[in-house]
Amino acid sequence: MEKQNSSLPFSNILVIVASGVLFGLGLSVSEMVNPVRVLGFLNVLGSWDPTLIFVMAGALTVAVPGFQYAKLMHKPFLSIEFSMPGKKDLDKKLILGAVLFGIGWGLAGICPGPSLVALNSLDVRVVAFVVAMLAGIFLHDRIFPD
Amino acid sequence: MTGFSFINAFSGGIMIGIATVLMFLCLGKITGISGIVGGLVKPASGPVGWRLIFILSLMVGGAVYPSLWGRDLPVELNGSWVLYFVAGLIVGFGTRTGSGCTSGHGICGLARFSPRSMVATVTFILAAVVTHTLVNVFTG
């Protein structure tokens, strides 16, 4: 459980804004914000678009050393502790959830990050996706309150 | 889609990687978009301020892209809004059930060598490939 703090230090806000903007720019520059690119990657029997592989490779080139370095740190630079995902087991929920997410992702070519960035297109279909995604999250948490 | 190269894909990926590392090394937070949004839908689970700031900044990134890169935001959609609504519903529900999406499992999880994330990433990519292939077969 995260600590309840009423106000975020300015340094933290700076990091969150920088990270958010960089993430949004990265999804745009790499065209992962474009469903056609993603569906092209999933289209293994047709004209396959390997773009997503290069995006993952770029991201992991930075993220692997970064996250591995974190294992040597006692605490993050600007906060009290690392909030690590608590679950360790490979359970049915993980598989079922990943299958469901994959089905939705395969239908539209949109996943959560790109959907929010693509809202900038002002296309009503992106709005429909995001509203439904929020509804799906809400529904899940109503059915399985943890 | 002209003027696009794999250099763009790789450098965009590097930017995403830097974003996740910044969040983790500085604040100790996993940059999983479905998790961050989920905490907004269910505010009782913890503070919402940083989540809101992150999501807004993420959207700002897409908003400033055209002026910085001199290109329109590439968003091409096919099909009706009903398809996108149904897909969004399944994505929202599924990411909560499976505790993550492409960013949380696919980048942060893989980067910290989490077995759960490796299994989840392989599973959702396979499910997406099968779904897209079946849709292609049935719709031509």
Side-chain angles (χ1 to χ4, degrees):
Chain A
M1 184 58 73
E2 297 163 65
K3 300 254 183 324
Q4 287 282 355
N5 47 347
S6 48
S7 68
L8 282 166
F10 182 68
S11 60
N12 289 24
I13 296 177
L14 220 57
V15 169
I16 296 162
V17 170
S19 171
V21 171
L22 207 55
F23 205 116
L25 273 176
L27 287 174
S28 308
V29 171
S30 65
E31 293 206 6
M32 284 301 98
V33 72
N34 192 350
V36 166
R37 283 274 174 212
V38 175
L39 293 177
F41 169 77
L42 302 177
N43 190 22
V44 290
L45 298 185
S47 55
W48 187 59
D49 180 346
T51 300
L52 191 142
I53 295 282
F54 287 83
V55 183
M56 288 295 292
L60 290 175
T61 298
V62 180
V64 168
F67 279 76
Q68 292 305 314
Y69 179 75
K71 291 182 176 171
L72 308 173
M73 296 164 62
H74 298 292
K75 66 180 219 42
F77 295 123
L78 302 173
S79 83
I80 308 159
E81 60 186 358
F82 289 102
S83 2
M84 303 299 284
K87 295 179 186 162
K88 296 268 183 281
D89 303 337
L90 297 170
D91 52 5
K92 274 185 215 148
K93 269 194 87 181
L94 179 79
I95 307 289
L96 177 71
V99 168
L100 280 175
F101 166 48
I103 292 173
W105 192 35
L107 280 177
I110 310 179
C111 52
S115 76
L116 297 165
V117 179
L119 279 175
N120 284 294
S121 70
L122 303 177
D123 192 304
V124 68
R125 289 169 290 188
V126 180
V127 179
F129 183 95
V130 172
V131 169
M133 178 174 78
L134 296 174
I137 293 171
F138 182 78
L139 212 66
H140 174 272
D141 291 356
R142 283 298 292 268
I143 300 173
F144 304 105
D146 287 321
Chain B
M1 305 211 307
T2 50
F4 183 83
S5 73
F6 295 121
I7 303 291
N8 292 24
F10 194 79
S11 37
I14 286 180
M15 295 165 76
I16 296 168
I18 294 173
T20 61
V21 169
L22 261 180
M23 284 292 277
F24 198 63
L25 291 190
C26 294
L27 305 179
K29 293 186 190 305
I30 299 282
T31 315
I33 310 296
S34 59
I36 296 175
V37 173
L40 286 176
V41 175
K42 192 183 177 186
S45 58
V48 297
W50 75 272
R51 298 171 189 273
L52 209 57
I53 298 170
F54 183 87
I55 296 301
L56 290 175
S57 306
L58 181 72
M59 290 161 67
V60 166
V64 298
Y65 168 77
S67 36
L68 289 180
W69 260 259
R71 306 180 60 208
D72 288 339
L73 191 67
V75 181
E76 299 167 84
L77 303 157
N78 296 301
S80 85
W81 68 270
V82 179
L83 168 80
Y84 291 91
F85 190 86
V86 171
L89 206 58
I90 304 173
V91 165
F93 196 94
T95 52
R96 284 308 261 183
T97 313
S99 318
C101 58
T102 354
S103 47
H105 281 313
I107 298 170
C108 301
L110 291 191
R112 59 188 190 87
F113 304 154
S114 150
R116 271 174 60 87
S117 291
M118 291 181 197
V119 170
T121 304
V122 171
T123 306
F124 64 64
I125 289 180
L126 282 178
V129 165
V130 169
T131 303
H132 181 66
T133 305
L134 286 177
V135 168
N136 273 350
V137 166
F138 286 109
T139 61

